[in-house]
Amino acid sequence: KVINVQDIGADATGKMDNTAILQKAIDDLPAQGTLYFPAGLYRTGSLNLKSDMTLYVDDQAVIKGSDDFRLHQFRKSYLYFIKVEDAQNVRILGHGTIDANGGPIRRAWQVEKNKRKVAGRNFLSVNVKNLTLKNITLLDKFFSNYKPPVGKSGPGINFINCLIVMSLFSIKANVPFIISPKLCGGILVAIPTAIPPAPLTNKFGNC
């Protein structure tokens, strides 16, 4: 089943917050279902994905963090935008963009918590098996865009032709890597050695 977020009332102009609508749609999505974002700008707070679902962000579609910092959630010390935890068979596809809007969110939380620094993650995965991100752009200047998997993550963590845009450089997520065994919990955890040429076709593999 495919659910078009505009059909359930999501605002695609960037003028209204969609957190409640989108999270309910995720929670209600049947197994093997797809939540589809056509072209547009969708503002939202943190979203929590679940097993056996696809998030499809089409070309010219942007899921962007709401300016209301209280709509953004924490997992322990990590402020996150998109999280998948204790789940399997999750796909994030399309040629669209996930923009955490981390700068104003982190600064607001730092004031609220009276802390010098609040750690942020655009995309956070915890205890996940069979996770695929394909053709997606993860964009943010102030959040780390991807936290290496936490906990007992299983096989099949795949980044395929994903563009990760950070404050100092842009990289393709499927380049030659240095493997960090200490961080490896059943998946390949990697650090890019250089800005690679495009296009690239390799993907993350298993440890």
Side-chain angles (χ1 to χ4, degrees):
K1 184 175 182 178
V2 177
I3 302 296
N4 185 323
V5 296
Q6 292 187 13
D7 291 343
I8 58 174
D11 172 69
T13 68
K15 296 179 180 179
M16 298 176 62
D17 176 74
N18 295 297
T19 307
I21 289 174
L22 296 180
Q23 189 60 60
K24 185 177 188 304
I26 292 168
D27 294 343
D28 293 345
L29 198 66
Q32 315 304 326
T34 296
L35 193 62
Y36 170 65
F37 290 78
L41 175 59
Y42 304 89
R43 301 300 292 262
T44 179
S46 297
L47 295 175
N48 298 283
L49 307 186
K50 66 178 185 179
S51 292
D52 302 311
M53 69 165 289
T54 298
L55 199 71
Y56 196 99
V57 189
D58 214 345
D59 188 32
Q60 304 300 316
V62 179
I63 303 175
K64 187 169 184 177
S66 170
D67 286 333
D68 184 351
F69 73 100
R70 296 184 184 278
L71 294 173
H72 295 260
Q73 301 173 25
F74 284 84
R75 184 189 186 273
K76 298 183 178 179
S77 61
Y78 287 117
L79 180 65
Y80 67 86
F81 186 41
I82 306 292
K83 176 170 69 74
V84 54
E85 182 170 6
D86 298 327
Q88 61 184 358
N89 307 324
V90 179
R91 303 190 304 166
I92 303 178
L93 310 177
H95 290 81
T97 298
I98 297 175
D99 180 357
N101 191 29
I105 305 306
R106 282 185 66 181
R107 287 192 292 268
W109 271 115
Q110 283 164 189
V111 171
E112 178 76 9
K113 290 178 172 288
N114 193 26
K115 293 182 64 174
R116 184 183 64 84
K117 182 179 180 180
V118 171
R121 298 290 182 264
N122 186 328
F123 184 81
L124 179 63
S125 62
V126 184
N127 297 332
V128 179
K129 296 180 180 178
N130 299 325
L131 167 67
T132 297
L133 286 84
K134 184 176 182 180
N135 298 323
I136 289 292
T137 295
L138 297 178
L139 172 63
D140 199 83
K141 293 182 178 180
F142 295 90
F143 276 17
S144 296
N145 278 282
Y146 178 64
K147 167 75 175 173
V150 176
K152 298 179 181 179
S153 293
I157 309 298
N158 301 314
F159 277 60
I160 307 171
N161 294 325
C162 292
L163 180 64
I164 301 178
V165 183
M166 300 175 71
S167 57
L168 299 179
F169 57 91
S170 299
I171 65 170
K172 286 283 185 177
N174 46 6
V175 300
F177 292 100
I178 300 169
I179 299 175
S180 175
K182 291 182 180 179
L183 295 176
C184 187
I187 36 110
L188 185 153
V189 177
I191 303 169
T193 58
I195 300 174
L200 297 163
T201 56
N202 294 332
K203 65 181 181 179
F204 279 11
N206 296 333
C207 290

